[in-house]
Amino acid sequence: MGQSQSQADTPPATAEELSKQLAQKFATRCFTPLELYSFRDVFRSLADTSDGVSYLKEDTLTRFLQVPDALGVAPVLFQMASYLGAFPFSAGAPAVLGFEEMIVVVVMLTERYGKVLRGGGKGRNVLLYRSLTVFDRLDGKEVADKGEEGGDKEVVEGEGGEVNGNAKAHVGFAVDQPANDEEGDDDDDGLALSALESLDANDVFKHSDAPPISHCSIPVENFRKIIMLLLLIAPLEASQPFPDYSDRLSGDNLEQLQATADAILSAFVNTESNTGIKIHAWNTVIPASLPNLFNGFSALFSHFLFSTSLDLSKRKPSSPTTTPPISPPTSPPSSPALRRPTTPPPPLPLIPTADAEEAEILDVTLLSQLSFFLPPTTLFHRLRLLYSGGSAGFSMRSFETRVFNWRAPSLLLVSGSRLPAIPEGSNERAFADSLPPKRLPDSTATNPNRLVFGAYIPQTWQQTYKTCLSDPGTILFQLAPTHTIHRSTISTDQLSFTHPPLSHPGISLGSPHPSSKSASGTANPAKLGPVSLHIDASFEFGVFTHDSRGGGAFEPASGPGGGDWQERFAIESLEVWGCGGEEEAEEQRRRWEWEEREAEARRRINFGKGDIEADRALLEMAGIIGGGRSGGSMN
């Protein structure tokens, strides 16, 4: 009984003790011994010490990660890390970034927490949202005023009790619950609960004193800086040395980086009328349109797990006087397989040099934007320019010759400028007459510098005669002036590639298959799908339609990019990029060579040598004559 009484009297673990236990579990289960050894070495080399506590300062952290000063993102990134370092007790944020706190930061940003925590998809998104938010005091004051006017003051005071003689014990708010919560927008404590459950301490969990999430927002300017950083680091690999970003932070490249960041930002909020991003927009846009947005942080913070100062071929004992609370092995494994080369080979170019010089639409920044919703493994170092209208000519035959033999997924990109409301010139009038009357407004009130649309096509291109091609992995998207993603529905009207005499020939995504012209030779206006892209056969004009009611082959967008709009544009550039490596390129080359041999063989057939019967037999075998068809005179 004495032992039971002693256990009962044991005080529960404090938040600080539980945080250290969680860091210990993260370190032993989410890192290999070599990674933990490297992490300790990197932390020791960077940390400042004050009153016996080692920690990382803002400039130290951002200097080690080589975050460009030109972005001005260092304070935002440090705020983010300081919040994550306090996990799972957000009330302790901002945390001092000591050894244990940095372990938590690295585990959360490299998404290794799955080895310890259950679930975490939505919970991590909300955690990242919280790490970037600021408390909107005006919003909180307005809600408090409404609560007092509605007579809620007495109820809250009665429930809250007194603290130091003050009945308002709710962190300065008259009400404790956010007003007008939308379903699914409440704070998600799933990761924090899972963390405490893993420590058998879920009974000590209490909701933090942080402001209700509906009273918080991410400042637009702060998030713009984060997006620009993510665009820079998207191609970064975990063990790859930090690249030189200087060429992307000057001149036209910087303008493109800023424009792309603004396009992505506009998916969350109307930047002209809003100054902050709310949780509802965050929960709506991230999973649907930007599921890979934060992947770059994984490679960036993985650099803590690679110490360039260690000679991993030798055993290096550690000093017992400086061993941190979490004790990794005194020496790393010396297996040659685990050695990190001191001079890694230079990485392959993201886009082959020759293709990059010829490309008019795709560049490294746009490629990074694509990686935010397409698998990066199909993009970086694996794209090949199959067709460019600027060099190969704007014709369907040229397109067909260069693209149809590609036996792997491909990317269609088209850019242009908005057509005037009143057509100018005969070609514009003919294009306008081929479409239904325009009843939807433009996507933006201002005329954008450039419109960019495209599609990810998982299947092989081919000419369609009666029905559309269909694949559930097909994605239609807009990259500028707003970032919107439209995934496939169960409809089959996804992709058609048609020549005359079908009506409205060209390339269509999301519209019904074109029909044959009537006996009189006239055609009804093109049938455009609710969410669709149509490029005419001359590759001169295009139209992108977005009807928020949906019901077609592709899902409509939500958020500021949603609504009802239609963009009619003059095509300036058109490209198709193959997603594949050497094997796919070799297969395309073999097919080209086979077609070349077949064409040459057909050219060498020479009739009229005098053997009429032999020539006739050859034509019959080819199906040109015979069966009641004379095929004309042989003489």
Side-chain angles (χ1 to χ4, degrees), residues 111 153 189 220 359 427 438 442 515 605:
E111 297 188 81
K153 180 178 179 181
D189 293 316
V220 166
N427 289 350
K438 185 176 180 181
D442 298 330
S515 58
I605 295 177

Side-chain angles (χ1 to χ4, degrees), residues 242-494:
F242 292 103
D244 181 7
Y245 301 116
S246 58
D247 61 331
R248 298 182 62 188
L249 293 173
S250 60
D252 293 340
N253 290 336
L254 177 59
E255 292 182 5
Q256 173 66 10
L257 185 69
Q258 293 171 335
T260 303
D262 287 340
I264 296 172
L265 188 61
S266 66
F268 293 89
V269 67
N270 185 335
T271 56
E272 296 179 357
S273 58
N274 297 88
T275 58
I277 300 169
K278 292 293 188 177
I279 184 62
H280 176 67
W282 185 269
N283 284 341
T284 301
V285 175
I286 292 288
S289 299
L290 296 160
N292 307 328
L293 178 63
F294 298 106
N295 282 10
F297 281 143
S298 179
L300 184 67
F301 280 83
S302 289
H303 282 73
F304 276 96
L305 309 179
F306 295 95
S307 174
T308 58
S309 64
L310 293 179
D311 183 357
L312 301 184
S313 63
K314 299 179 180 179
R315 300 181 64 87
K316 181 179 178 182
S318 60
S319 172
T321 59
T322 57
T323 302
I326 299 174
S327 300
T330 56
S331 61
S334 57
S335 170
L338 295 176
R339 293 187 60 185
R340 186 186 181 206
T342 56
T343 56
L348 296 173
L350 299 176
I351 304 174
T353 304
D355 291 346
E357 293 176 354
E358 192 176 350
E360 297 179 353
I361 303 177
L362 187 66
D363 57 16
V364 175
T365 298
L366 207 65
L367 184 60
S368 296
Q369 183 181 2
L370 290 168
S371 74
F372 290 164
F373 62 92
L374 295 175
T377 53
T378 67
L379 299 176
F380 298 130
H381 316 298
R382 289 183 60 81
L383 289 185
R384 296 174 180 272
L385 183 60
L386 304 180
Y387 167 83
S388 173
S391 58
F394 289 91
S395 74
M396 294 189 69
R397 289 299 181 190
S398 178
F399 183 103
E400 189 173 336
T401 299
R402 288 164 170 78
V403 175
F404 275 30
N405 284 323
W406 185 256
R407 299 295 192 250
S410 60
L411 279 170
L412 169 72
L413 298 175
V414 57
S415 68
S417 55
R418 181 183 292 166
L419 290 172
I422 300 177
E424 300 174 355
S426 58
N427 289 350
E428 286 188 20
R429 284 194 294 271
F431 178 68
D433 291 342
S434 70
L435 303 177
K438 185 176 180 181
R439 297 186 175 89
L440 302 179
D442 298 330
S443 61
T444 60
T446 57
N447 196 343
N449 295 329
R450 185 172 72 151
L451 299 166
V452 181
F453 303 102
Y456 174 74
I457 313 294
Q459 58 197 324
T460 301
W461 286 81
Q462 57 183 289
Q463 187 170 345
T464 59
Y465 297 95
K466 293 183 179 180
T467 59
C468 295
L469 301 177
S470 179
D471 189 290
T474 305
I475 302 175
L476 188 64
F477 52 80
Q478 175 191 197
L479 300 181
T482 301
H483 178 99
T484 61
I485 306 302
H486 313 279
R487 302 185 186 274
S488 300
T489 64
I490 58 175
S491 172
T492 58
D493 293 333
Q494 287 187 351

Side-chain angles (χ1 to χ4, degrees), residues 147-167:
E148 292 182 2
E149 292 173 3
D152 295 334
K153 180 178 179 181
E154 291 78 6
V155 175
V156 173
E157 289 177 349
E159 293 176 353
E162 293 188 0
V163 177
N164 296 330
N166 185 356

Side-chain angles (χ1 to χ4, degrees), residues 83 88-92 130 171 176 187 189 205-212:
Y83 185 91
F89 300 102
S90 59
R130 277 283 198 181
V171 198
D176 194 29
D187 209 342
D189 293 316
F205 179 81
K206 295 181 181 179
H207 289 277
S208 71
D209 293 332

Side-chain angles (χ1 to χ4, degrees), residues 77 80-81 84 104-113 124 128 294-295 297-299 301:
L77 188 64
M80 187 180 191
L84 296 176
V104 175
V105 171
V106 172
V107 167
M108 299 308 295
L109 289 180
T110 58
E111 297 188 81
R112 298 179 176 222
Y113 56 85
R124 181 174 182 267
L128 292 176
F294 298 106
N295 282 10
F297 281 143
S298 179
F301 280 83

